[in-house]
Amino acid sequence: LGLIWCVQPHSALDKVRTISLEQLWPWLPTDCDYYCLQKEIREVDKQFLPKTSIREYTDSFLDFGETAGLCSLMDLVISVDTSMAHLSAALGRPTWILLANLPDWRWLLHTRTSPWYESVKLFRQNKSESWDTVLPAVHAELQAFIRLLNTHS
């Protein structure tokens, strides 16, 4: 499974769209292989990354094409609202996008699907800057997704 948990560091949207890796990690089932698909990692997340089993190749990505190649191999991509979410969805990969309470206009309001990409499922904050309802929902659906993958293996 591919993971993108933050937008570009120092972006004006960083505070609104980013989840810390430390906050995200406990909600991810341990019986999966995880891959970091983001180019830049915030310093605080770099310090937490060794405490996880996430495979990280960010220094190896020379361009968006190589990132797309790795993304295309994922069974599922879980991402905050970034260009990688669009890339994954455009590649037709199952993509779960974790959205801020007031998302970009592309994600509309009050829907769990996207008119732009068939493979997208949206998970929305129910109040500003809180992932408290999003992460348990992702966890529950991820466990079901993993069970489904294992029955088809």
Side-chain angles (χ1 to χ4, degrees), residues 122-139:
L122 303 172
F123 293 83
R124 299 173 180 277
Q125 290 179 342
N126 65 358
K127 59 184 177 179
S128 186
E129 298 177 25
S130 175
W131 299 105
D132 294 345
T133 57
V134 173
L135 295 174
V138 168
H139 177 77

Side-chain angles (χ1 to χ4, degrees), residues 6-14 18 38-43 45-46:
C6 70
V7 299
Q8 289 182 339
H10 313 296
S11 162
L13 299 170
D14 184 40
T18 293
Q38 51 192 64
K39 179 67 175 157
E40 295 180 61
I41 301 175
R42 297 178 312 157
E43 193 58 42
D45 293 331
K46 284 181 185 178

Side-chain angles (χ1 to χ4, degrees), residues 7-141:
V7 299
Q8 289 182 339
H10 313 296
S11 162
L13 299 170
D14 184 40
K15 182 179 177 191
V16 176
R17 293 185 183 177
T18 293
I19 300 172
S20 73
L21 181 55
E22 188 171 8
Q23 185 179 12
L24 174 63
W25 184 247
W27 294 100
L28 299 174
T30 58
D31 55 344
C32 289
D33 293 326
Y34 295 101
Y35 298 85
C36 173
L37 296 179
Q38 51 192 64
K39 179 67 175 157
E40 295 180 61
I41 301 175
R42 297 178 312 157
E43 193 58 42
V44 66
D45 293 331
K46 284 181 185 178
Q47 292 173 12
F48 187 78
L49 195 59
K51 298 176 184 176
T52 74
S53 60
I54 298 171
R55 295 178 181 143
E56 186 260 321
Y57 303 101
T58 54
D59 292 338
S60 303
F61 297 155
L62 298 178
D63 59 33
F64 215 46
E66 289 186 356
T67 307
L70 184 58
C71 184
S72 70
L73 300 173
M74 299 295 122
D75 291 317
L76 171 69
V77 173
I78 300 173
S79 179
V80 294
D81 187 3
T82 67
S83 60
M84 280 301 301
H86 290 276
L87 176 64
S88 174
L91 291 169
R93 303 311 310 148
T95 306
W96 295 359
I97 303 174
L98 315 182
L99 296 174
N101 186 43
L102 296 173
D104 185 79
W105 66 270
R106 290 171 190 86
W107 306 121
L108 309 175
L109 298 172
H110 315 295
T111 181
R112 295 215 49 213
T113 59
S114 165
W116 321 112
Y117 308 112
E118 289 183 22
S119 64
V120 163
K121 185 180 287 189
L122 303 172
F123 293 83
R124 299 173 180 277
Q125 290 179 342
N126 65 358
K127 59 184 177 179
S128 186
E129 298 177 25
S130 175
W131 299 105
D132 294 345
T133 57
V134 173
L135 295 174
V138 168
H139 177 77
E141 291 199 38

